[in-house]
Amino acid sequence: MPSIAVAYKGEVVVGVIHDPHRDETFTAIRGQGAYMNGERIKVGTQSTIGDAIIAMGSPPAEESMQMSLAALPVLMPKVRTIRMLGSAALMLAWVANGRLTAYWEYDLR
């Protein structure tokens, strides 16, 4: 997934993530909100952790993978479901538009 950000004086001011598989483009400008294909998006409205849909990453480093796997038995009984879907940038965009409640990945940079 192509993802691009522009920083000015050390602060990210514009971000774009494109998902060619779904033909969706997520954009955000600091102070002006976030959009998908030009329509404003917002985070989900889940009020309890039991309704949460969590995505998590699958980092390649052994230590990172072990930490990610250690989280599963802690989170799984408390949330609606956990998914491992791929691109961290895209999963964060899905949090922004309410498809996911949260995204977690150990050692993500």
Side-chain angles (χ1 to χ4, degrees), residues 35-78:
Y35 298 82
M36 181 185 76
N37 293 345
E39 301 214 10
R40 191 168 184 102
I41 58 175
K42 63 179 184 171
V43 298
T45 59
Q46 297 82 8
S47 59
T48 65
I49 194 166
D51 292 330
I53 299 173
I54 309 292
M56 64 179 280
S58 176
E62 180 67 28
E63 178 187 356
S64 299
M65 179 57 78
Q66 292 304 319
M67 293 300 289
S68 294
L69 293 174
L72 285 175
V74 175
L75 283 174
M76 190 58 95
K78 295 181 170 111

Side-chain angles (χ1 to χ4, degrees), residues 69-88:
L69 293 174
L72 285 175
V74 175
L75 283 174
M76 190 58 95
K78 295 181 170 111
V79 301
R80 183 171 167 197
T81 189
I82 296 176
R83 304 280 188 220
M84 294 178 81
L85 302 168
S87 165

Side-chain angles (χ1 to χ4, degrees), residues 7-44:
Y8 178 72
K9 294 186 178 181
E11 183 173 83
V12 176
V13 293
V14 176
V16 178
I17 300 166
H18 180 68
D19 180 357
H21 303 290
R22 296 176 66 105
D23 197 26
E24 294 175 337
T25 301
F26 297 88
T27 57
I29 299 173
R30 182 172 293 281
Q32 296 183 27
Y35 298 82
M36 181 185 76
N37 293 345
E39 301 214 10
R40 191 168 184 102
I41 58 175
K42 63 179 184 171
V43 298

